[in-house]
Amino acid sequence: MFGNGPRFPVIESKCGWSAAPVVSDDLILLAGGASGQAIGEAPILQAIDEDGERFRLSRKASGRDIEPGEISTTPSGDIILPVYEHDTSLKILRVGRDGVVRMADELPDDDPYDVVAYDTSSKLRVAVRAVDDDGYLCSWLYRQGRRQGITYRRWGEPLYLWTSEEWLLHASGGTVVGATSPDYARPGPAQSWVGRDVATGAALWLRDTGGYVLAGTAGDALIAVDLAAFDRTDRTDRADRTERDEHDHSKAARDTGVHAIDLTTGEPTWSSLVPGRAHSAAVGPDGVSVCAESTEDGTWRVHHLGLDGAYEGVTPLGGHACVVARTPEFTLALVEGQWLMALDNPGGGRRPGPAEPWTIPIPLGGLAPSYAARVADMRLDTVPITLAGSRCHLRGTESLQIIEV
Protein backbone atom coordinates (compact mmCIF):
# COMPACT_ATOMS: atom_id res chain seq x y z
CA MET A 1 0.00 0.00 0.00
CA PHE A 2 2.91 2.32 0.73
CA GLY A 3 6.33 2.82 -0.80
CA ASN A 4 9.28 5.02 0.00
CA GLY A 5 9.82 7.90 -2.38
CA PRO A 6 12.71 10.36 -2.65
CA ARG A 7 14.13 12.40 0.21
CA PHE A 8 15.52 15.91 -0.21
CA PRO A 9 17.46 18.24 2.12
CA VAL A 10 15.40 21.30 3.08
CA ILE A 11 15.82 24.69 4.70
CA GLU A 12 14.97 24.98 8.38
CA SER A 13 11.47 26.09 9.29
CA LYS A 14 11.71 29.09 11.58
CA CYS A 15 7.99 29.89 11.42
CA GLY A 16 5.99 26.81 12.38
CA TRP A 17 2.57 28.07 11.36
CA SER A 18 3.65 28.02 7.69
CA ALA A 19 5.69 24.82 7.83
CA ALA A 20 3.53 22.47 5.73
CA PRO A 21 4.82 21.81 2.19
CA VAL A 22 2.84 23.45 -0.61
CA VAL A 23 2.60 21.39 -3.79
CA SER A 24 2.14 23.46 -6.96
CA ASP A 25 2.26 21.40 -10.17
CA ASP A 26 5.89 20.27 -10.51
CA LEU A 27 7.17 22.22 -7.50
CA ILE A 28 7.21 21.54 -3.76
CA LEU A 29 7.43 24.88 -1.95
CA LEU A 30 8.73 25.40 1.59
CA ALA A 31 8.92 28.54 3.73
CA GLY A 32 11.89 29.22 6.03
CA GLY A 33 12.69 32.30 8.11
CA ALA A 34 15.16 33.52 10.71
CA SER A 35 15.29 33.77 14.48
CA GLY A 36 16.04 36.97 16.36
CA GLN A 37 19.67 35.95 16.84
CA ALA A 38 20.36 35.11 13.20
CA ILE A 39 22.69 37.16 11.00
CA GLY A 40 23.83 36.65 7.43
CA GLU A 41 21.66 35.16 4.70
CA ALA A 42 18.35 33.67 5.89
CA PRO A 43 16.56 31.31 3.47
CA ILE A 44 12.89 32.26 3.24
CA LEU A 45 11.68 30.17 0.28
CA GLN A 46 12.79 26.88 -1.26
CA ALA A 47 11.45 25.20 -4.39
CA ILE A 48 12.07 21.50 -5.03
CA ASP A 49 11.30 19.48 -8.16
CA GLU A 50 11.92 15.84 -9.03
CA ASP A 51 15.63 16.56 -9.60
CA GLY A 52 16.14 18.31 -6.27
CA GLU A 53 16.30 21.97 -5.34
CA ARG A 54 15.32 24.25 -8.24
CA PHE A 55 15.97 27.51 -6.40
CA ARG A 56 16.32 29.08 -2.99
CA LEU A 57 15.38 32.63 -2.07
CA SER A 58 17.17 34.33 0.84
CA ARG A 59 17.02 37.59 2.74
CA LYS A 60 19.63 39.30 4.86
CA ALA A 61 19.08 38.71 8.58
CA SER A 62 19.98 41.44 11.04
CA GLY A 63 19.09 40.10 14.47
CA ARG A 64 15.31 40.30 14.07
CA ASP A 65 12.80 37.52 13.53
CA ILE A 66 11.88 37.03 9.86
CA GLU A 67 8.59 35.19 9.42
CA PRO A 68 7.35 34.14 5.99
CA GLY A 69 3.62 33.59 5.77
CA GLU A 70 1.77 30.76 4.09
CA ILE A 71 2.78 30.21 0.46
CA SER A 72 0.14 30.60 -2.27
CA THR A 73 0.11 31.01 -6.04
CA THR A 74 -1.48 33.21 -8.72
CA PRO A 75 -3.64 31.75 -11.52
CA SER A 76 -0.63 32.02 -13.86
CA GLY A 77 1.55 30.03 -11.45
CA ASP A 78 3.65 32.76 -9.81
CA ILE A 79 4.47 32.17 -6.14
CA ILE A 80 3.20 34.62 -3.50
CA LEU A 81 5.06 34.87 -0.21
CA PRO A 82 4.37 37.44 2.54
CA VAL A 83 7.48 38.14 4.62
CA TYR A 84 7.25 39.94 7.97
CA GLU A 85 10.41 41.17 9.70
CA HIS A 86 9.66 42.06 13.30
CA ASP A 87 9.24 45.79 13.90
CA THR A 88 10.71 46.55 10.49
CA SER A 89 8.71 45.70 7.38
CA LEU A 90 5.98 43.67 5.72
CA LYS A 91 6.64 42.70 2.10
CA ILE A 92 4.51 40.69 -0.30
CA LEU A 93 6.80 38.95 -2.79
CA ARG A 94 5.71 37.69 -6.21
CA VAL A 95 8.23 35.11 -7.36
CA GLY A 96 8.46 33.39 -10.74
CA ARG A 97 8.86 29.65 -10.98
CA ASP A 98 12.49 30.27 -11.89
CA GLY A 99 13.12 31.97 -8.54
CA VAL A 100 13.19 35.54 -9.87
CA VAL A 101 11.35 38.10 -7.73
CA ARG A 102 8.99 39.77 -10.19
CA MET A 103 7.48 42.22 -7.73
CA ALA A 104 7.80 43.20 -4.06
CA ASP A 105 5.06 45.27 -2.44
CA GLU A 106 6.24 47.02 0.72
CA LEU A 107 3.07 47.53 2.74
CA PRO A 108 3.03 50.73 4.84
CA ASP A 109 3.13 50.67 8.63
CA ASP A 110 -0.19 51.13 10.45
CA ASP A 111 -2.14 51.40 7.21
CA PRO A 112 -3.60 49.30 8.69
CA TYR A 113 -1.11 46.50 9.42
CA ASP A 114 0.80 47.96 12.40
CA VAL A 115 4.12 46.58 11.22
CA VAL A 116 6.47 48.65 13.38
CA ALA A 117 5.62 48.46 17.07
CA TYR A 118 7.60 47.18 20.02
CA ASP A 119 6.76 43.62 20.93
CA THR A 120 8.77 40.96 22.73
CA SER A 121 7.35 38.17 20.60
CA SER A 122 5.57 37.55 17.32
CA LYS A 123 2.60 39.86 16.93
CA LEU A 124 1.69 39.83 13.25
CA ARG A 125 0.60 36.90 11.09
CA VAL A 126 -0.14 37.38 7.43
CA ALA A 127 -2.06 35.41 4.80
CA VAL A 128 -2.24 36.33 1.10
CA ARG A 129 -4.51 34.97 -1.63
CA ALA A 130 -4.49 35.97 -5.30
CA VAL A 131 -7.81 37.20 -6.65
CA ASP A 132 -6.44 37.15 -10.20
CA ASP A 133 -3.07 37.94 -11.81
CA ASP A 134 -3.49 41.66 -11.01
CA GLY A 135 -4.78 41.73 -7.44
CA TYR A 136 -4.58 39.93 -4.11
CA LEU A 137 -6.13 39.76 -0.67
CA CYS A 138 -3.83 40.49 2.26
CA SER A 139 -5.05 39.45 5.70
CA TRP A 140 -3.32 40.15 9.00
CA LEU A 141 -3.87 38.78 12.49
CA TYR A 142 -2.47 40.83 15.36
CA ARG A 143 -1.95 39.31 18.80
CA GLN A 144 -3.97 36.13 18.26
CA GLY A 145 -7.16 37.72 17.03
CA ARG A 146 -7.33 40.89 19.13
CA ARG A 147 -7.02 42.90 15.93
CA GLN A 148 -7.30 41.67 12.36
CA GLY A 149 -8.44 42.53 8.88
CA ILE A 150 -8.40 41.97 5.12
CA THR A 151 -7.36 44.36 2.37
CA TYR A 152 -7.79 43.97 -1.39
CA ARG A 153 -4.77 45.36 -3.23
CA ARG A 154 -3.42 45.67 -6.76
CA TRP A 155 0.19 44.74 -7.37
CA GLY A 156 2.47 47.77 -7.30
CA GLU A 157 -0.21 50.22 -6.15
CA PRO A 158 0.18 52.00 -2.78
CA LEU A 159 -3.50 52.04 -1.77
CA TYR A 160 -5.95 49.22 -1.12
CA LEU A 161 -9.33 48.96 -2.87
CA TRP A 162 -11.28 47.94 0.23
CA THR A 163 -10.73 46.74 3.75
CA SER A 164 -12.68 44.73 6.33
CA GLU A 165 -12.16 43.61 9.93
CA GLU A 166 -12.01 39.82 9.56
CA TRP A 167 -9.26 37.22 9.35
CA LEU A 168 -9.22 35.55 5.93
CA LEU A 169 -10.52 31.97 6.00
CA HIS A 170 -11.30 31.21 2.35
CA ALA A 171 -11.65 32.87 -1.04
CA SER A 172 -13.04 31.35 -4.24
CA GLY A 173 -15.75 31.91 -6.82
CA GLY A 174 -15.96 35.63 -6.19
CA THR A 175 -16.64 35.21 -2.44
CA VAL A 176 -14.31 35.99 0.45
CA VAL A 177 -15.06 34.47 3.86
CA GLY A 178 -13.51 35.86 7.03
CA ALA A 179 -13.84 35.42 10.80
CA THR A 180 -14.56 38.40 13.05
CA SER A 181 -12.64 39.15 16.23
CA PRO A 182 -13.91 37.16 19.23
CA ASP A 183 -16.20 38.63 21.86
CA TYR A 184 -14.60 37.49 25.12
CA ALA A 185 -17.54 38.71 27.16
CA ARG A 186 -19.52 35.76 25.82
CA PRO A 187 -18.63 32.06 26.17
CA GLY A 188 -17.20 30.33 23.20
CA PRO A 189 -15.70 32.83 22.44
CA ALA A 190 -18.38 34.28 20.21
CA GLN A 191 -17.44 35.23 16.67
CA SER A 192 -19.06 35.42 13.24
CA TRP A 193 -18.20 34.43 9.70
CA VAL A 194 -18.74 37.06 7.02
CA GLY A 195 -19.05 36.41 3.30
CA ARG A 196 -18.04 39.34 1.07
CA ASP A 197 -17.97 40.12 -2.62
CA VAL A 198 -14.34 39.94 -3.67
CA ALA A 199 -14.54 42.89 -6.09
CA THR A 200 -16.24 45.41 -3.79
CA GLY A 201 -15.91 44.06 -0.25
CA ALA A 202 -19.66 44.36 0.23
CA ALA A 203 -21.09 41.94 2.82
CA LEU A 204 -23.13 39.14 1.24
CA TRP A 205 -23.98 37.24 4.40
CA LEU A 206 -23.23 37.11 8.12
CA ARG A 207 -23.46 34.03 10.34
CA ASP A 208 -22.97 33.73 14.10
CA THR A 209 -20.50 30.85 14.29
CA GLY A 210 -19.48 30.82 17.95
CA GLY A 211 -16.28 28.76 18.00
CA TYR A 212 -16.11 27.44 14.43
CA VAL A 213 -12.68 26.50 13.06
CA LEU A 214 -12.36 25.86 9.33
CA ALA A 215 -11.31 22.28 8.60
CA GLY A 216 -11.50 22.33 4.80
CA THR A 217 -13.81 22.61 1.82
CA ALA A 218 -16.10 20.18 0.02
CA GLY A 219 -17.40 21.59 -3.26
CA ASP A 220 -19.22 24.83 -2.45
CA ALA A 221 -19.34 24.09 1.29
CA LEU A 222 -16.97 25.08 4.08
CA ILE A 223 -16.51 22.30 6.65
CA ALA A 224 -16.28 23.73 10.17
CA VAL A 225 -15.53 22.14 13.54
CA ASP A 226 -17.16 23.93 16.51
CA LEU A 227 -14.88 24.02 19.57
CA ALA A 228 -16.99 26.48 21.55
CA ALA A 229 -18.47 24.00 24.05
CA PHE A 230 -15.08 22.79 25.21
CA ASP A 231 -13.44 26.20 25.01
CA ARG A 232 -15.90 27.55 27.59
CA THR A 233 -13.98 26.12 30.56
CA ASP A 234 -10.52 26.00 28.96
CA ARG A 235 -10.39 29.79 29.16
CA THR A 236 -10.98 29.74 32.94
CA ASP A 237 -8.19 29.47 35.48
CA ARG A 238 -8.34 25.90 36.76
CA ALA A 239 -7.55 27.08 40.28
CA ASP A 240 -10.75 29.13 40.26
CA ARG A 241 -13.01 26.28 39.20
CA THR A 242 -15.23 24.65 41.75
CA GLU A 243 -16.09 20.98 41.88
CA ARG A 244 -19.56 21.89 40.67
CA ASP A 245 -18.09 23.77 37.68
CA GLU A 246 -16.10 20.70 36.66
CA HIS A 247 -19.16 18.47 37.08
CA ASP A 248 -21.37 20.77 35.03
CA HIS A 249 -18.78 20.96 32.27
CA SER A 250 -18.34 17.21 32.08
CA LYS A 251 -22.08 16.82 31.67
CA ALA A 252 -22.54 19.61 29.13
CA ALA A 253 -19.51 19.28 26.86
CA ARG A 254 -19.54 15.75 25.47
CA ASP A 255 -19.86 16.25 21.72
CA THR A 256 -18.25 18.38 19.02
CA GLY A 257 -20.36 19.92 16.28
CA VAL A 258 -19.31 19.53 12.65
CA HIS A 259 -21.07 21.76 10.11
CA ALA A 260 -21.15 22.37 6.37
CA ILE A 261 -21.67 26.06 5.52
CA ASP A 262 -22.75 27.05 2.01
CA LEU A 263 -20.16 29.40 0.53
CA THR A 264 -22.72 31.46 -1.40
CA THR A 265 -25.41 31.96 1.25
CA GLY A 266 -23.72 31.27 4.59
CA GLU A 267 -26.51 28.85 5.48
CA PRO A 268 -25.72 25.39 6.94
CA THR A 269 -26.35 22.54 4.53
CA TRP A 270 -25.94 19.96 7.30
CA SER A 271 -24.81 19.60 10.90
CA SER A 272 -23.59 16.55 12.79
CA LEU A 273 -22.25 15.66 16.24
CA VAL A 274 -19.03 13.76 16.94
CA PRO A 275 -18.58 12.21 20.42
CA GLY A 276 -15.76 13.81 22.41
CA ARG A 277 -13.52 16.82 21.90
CA ALA A 278 -12.20 17.17 18.36
CA HIS A 279 -8.51 17.96 17.95
CA SER A 280 -8.00 17.50 14.19
CA ALA A 281 -10.02 16.93 11.04
CA ALA A 282 -9.46 16.06 7.37
CA VAL A 283 -11.85 16.64 4.48
CA GLY A 284 -11.69 14.27 1.53
CA PRO A 285 -13.56 13.76 -1.73
CA ASP A 286 -16.07 11.40 -0.11
CA GLY A 287 -16.36 12.54 3.48
CA VAL A 288 -14.87 14.02 6.65
CA SER A 289 -12.67 12.33 9.26
CA VAL A 290 -12.55 13.86 12.74
CA CYS A 291 -10.12 12.78 15.46
CA ALA A 292 -11.60 13.33 18.92
CA GLU A 293 -10.64 12.59 22.52
CA SER A 294 -13.37 10.69 24.32
CA THR A 295 -14.82 12.45 27.36
CA GLU A 296 -15.64 9.02 28.82
CA ASP A 297 -12.22 7.35 29.00
CA GLY A 298 -9.73 9.77 27.40
CA THR A 299 -8.95 7.51 24.44
CA TRP A 300 -8.58 8.90 20.91
CA ARG A 301 -10.89 7.88 18.09
CA VAL A 302 -11.37 8.78 14.43
CA HIS A 303 -15.01 9.36 13.49
CA HIS A 304 -16.11 9.18 9.86
CA LEU A 305 -18.84 11.35 8.31
CA GLY A 306 -20.22 11.38 4.79
CA LEU A 307 -20.40 14.57 2.75
CA ASP A 308 -24.06 14.75 3.72
CA GLY A 309 -23.16 14.76 7.41
CA ALA A 310 -24.29 11.17 8.02
CA TYR A 311 -22.31 9.36 10.72
CA GLU A 312 -20.62 6.35 9.14
CA GLY A 313 -18.42 4.77 11.79
CA VAL A 314 -15.54 5.07 14.21
CA THR A 315 -11.97 3.77 14.43
CA PRO A 316 -10.54 3.51 17.99
CA LEU A 317 -6.84 4.38 18.24
CA GLY A 318 -6.04 4.60 21.93
CA GLY A 319 -3.14 7.06 22.05
CA HIS A 320 -2.76 10.65 20.93
CA ALA A 321 -3.44 11.02 17.20
CA CYS A 322 -3.75 13.68 14.53
CA VAL A 323 -5.74 13.15 11.36
CA VAL A 324 -3.51 14.11 8.43
CA ALA A 325 -5.49 13.52 5.22
CA ARG A 326 -8.38 11.59 3.73
CA THR A 327 -8.55 9.83 0.36
CA PRO A 328 -11.54 7.90 -1.10
CA GLU A 329 -10.09 4.66 0.30
CA PHE A 330 -8.62 5.53 3.68
CA THR A 331 -7.72 8.16 6.26
CA LEU A 332 -4.13 8.82 7.27
CA ALA A 333 -3.56 9.47 10.98
CA LEU A 334 -0.31 10.31 12.74
CA VAL A 335 -0.26 8.48 16.08
CA GLU A 336 1.93 9.61 18.98
CA GLY A 337 3.95 11.62 16.46
CA GLN A 338 5.69 8.43 15.27
CA TRP A 339 3.32 6.14 13.38
CA LEU A 340 1.42 6.77 10.19
CA MET A 341 -1.63 4.54 10.11
CA ALA A 342 -3.98 3.88 7.21
CA LEU A 343 -7.56 3.65 8.48
CA ASP A 344 -10.07 2.10 6.10
CA ASN A 345 -12.97 4.44 5.40
CA PRO A 346 -16.42 2.95 5.91
CA GLY A 347 -18.11 1.55 2.82
CA GLY A 348 -18.62 -1.65 0.92
CA GLY A 349 -19.82 -3.42 4.04
CA ARG A 350 -16.38 -3.26 5.64
CA ARG A 351 -15.94 -2.27 9.24
CA PRO A 352 -13.45 0.60 9.56
CA GLY A 353 -10.26 -0.35 11.31
CA PRO A 354 -6.53 0.39 11.26
CA ALA A 355 -4.36 -1.24 8.65
CA GLU A 356 -1.04 -2.72 9.69
CA PRO A 357 0.81 0.14 11.41
CA TRP A 358 3.58 1.47 9.25
CA THR A 359 6.45 3.53 10.63
CA ILE A 360 6.92 6.87 8.95
CA PRO A 361 10.49 7.24 7.68
CA ILE A 362 10.78 10.41 9.74
CA PRO A 363 13.75 12.50 8.64
CA LEU A 364 16.61 12.99 11.06
CA GLY A 365 15.55 15.32 13.86
CA GLY A 366 11.85 14.45 13.52
CA LEU A 367 9.05 16.41 11.92
CA ALA A 368 9.34 20.18 11.74
CA PRO A 369 7.21 22.06 14.30
CA SER A 370 3.86 23.16 12.93
CA TYR A 371 1.17 25.44 14.32
CA ALA A 372 -2.08 26.92 13.07
CA ALA A 373 -2.81 30.64 13.11
CA ARG A 374 -4.81 31.19 16.29
CA VAL A 375 -8.11 32.70 15.27
CA ALA A 376 -10.15 33.45 18.39
CA ASP A 377 -7.55 31.52 20.41
CA MET A 378 -8.87 28.22 19.09
CA ARG A 379 -7.29 25.88 16.59
CA LEU A 380 -7.08 22.32 15.37
CA ASP A 381 -3.85 20.33 15.56
CA THR A 382 -1.67 20.53 12.47
CA VAL A 383 1.39 18.66 11.24
CA PRO A 384 3.76 19.52 8.34
CA ILE A 385 2.40 16.76 6.10
CA THR A 386 0.72 17.40 2.76
CA LEU A 387 -1.08 14.83 0.61
CA ALA A 388 -1.13 15.61 -3.12
CA GLY A 389 -2.45 12.95 -5.45
CA SER A 390 -0.71 9.68 -4.56
CA ARG A 391 2.19 11.35 -2.78
CA CYS A 392 2.45 12.20 0.90
CA HIS A 393 5.03 14.91 1.70
CA LEU A 394 6.51 14.95 5.21
CA ARG A 395 8.63 17.92 6.24
CA GLY A 396 11.33 17.20 8.78
CA THR A 397 13.72 19.59 10.47
CA GLU A 398 16.40 18.86 7.86
CA SER A 399 14.81 16.94 5.01
CA LEU A 400 11.63 16.33 3.05
CA GLN A 401 10.44 12.72 2.78
CA ILE A 402 8.03 11.73 0.00
CA ILE A 403 5.93 8.58 0.39
CA GLU A 404 4.01 6.95 -2.41
CA VAL A 405 0.53 6.09 -1.14
Side-chain angles (χ1 to χ4, degrees), residues 59 80-84 89-95 101-108 113 115 126 128 134-138 152-160:
R59 175 168 172 172
I80 303 179
L81 181 70
V83 182
Y84 166 54
S89 69
L90 172 60
K91 287 187 177 181
I92 312 299
L93 304 181
R94 181 169 179 170
V95 184
V101 178
R102 301 180 183 276
M103 191 167 294
D105 279 355
E106 178 79 48
L107 302 193
Y113 315 101
V115 177
V126 185
V128 175
D134 298 321
Y136 61 91
L137 300 167
C138 178
Y152 179 23
R153 310 187 69 96
R154 294 288 185 182
W155 287 103
E157 297 184 6
L159 302 177
Y160 50 81

Side-chain angles (χ1 to χ4, degrees), residues 245-265:
D245 291 334
E246 294 287 355
H247 178 69
D248 290 345
H249 171 63
S250 65
K251 289 177 60 178
R254 292 182 176 274
D255 301 311
T256 298
V258 182
H259 312 276
I261 305 300
D262 186 86
L263 179 62
T264 303
T265 65

Side-chain angles (χ1 to χ4, degrees), residues 12-54:
E12 185 176 357
S13 174
K14 292 291 188 178
C15 181
W17 56 277
S18 59
V22 174
V23 181
S24 173
D25 296 328
D26 62 331
L27 289 181
I28 305 167
L29 305 170
L30 304 170
S35 65
Q37 293 77 38
I39 58 174
E41 292 295 316
I44 58 176
L45 175 66
Q46 182 183 28
I48 297 172
D49 59 22
E50 60 181 8
D51 297 323
E53 181 176 288
R54 179 179 294 184

Side-chain angles (χ1 to χ4, degrees), residues 111-113 137-141 147-153 160-170 175-181 192-198 200-206:
D111 187 28
Y113 315 101
L137 300 167
C138 178
S139 183
W140 74 97
L141 182 67
R147 180 184 170 194
Q148 57 198 40
I150 303 171
T151 53
Y152 179 23
R153 310 187 69 96
Y160 50 81
L161 301 180
W162 58 260
T163 184
S164 69
E165 297 182 350
E166 300 91 43
W167 167 254
L168 178 63
L169 296 177
H170 179 78
T175 302
V176 181
V177 180
T180 64
S181 296
S192 298
W193 284 9
V194 183
R196 296 184 180 274
D197 179 79
V198 69
T200 65
L204 302 175
W205 52 263
L206 172 70

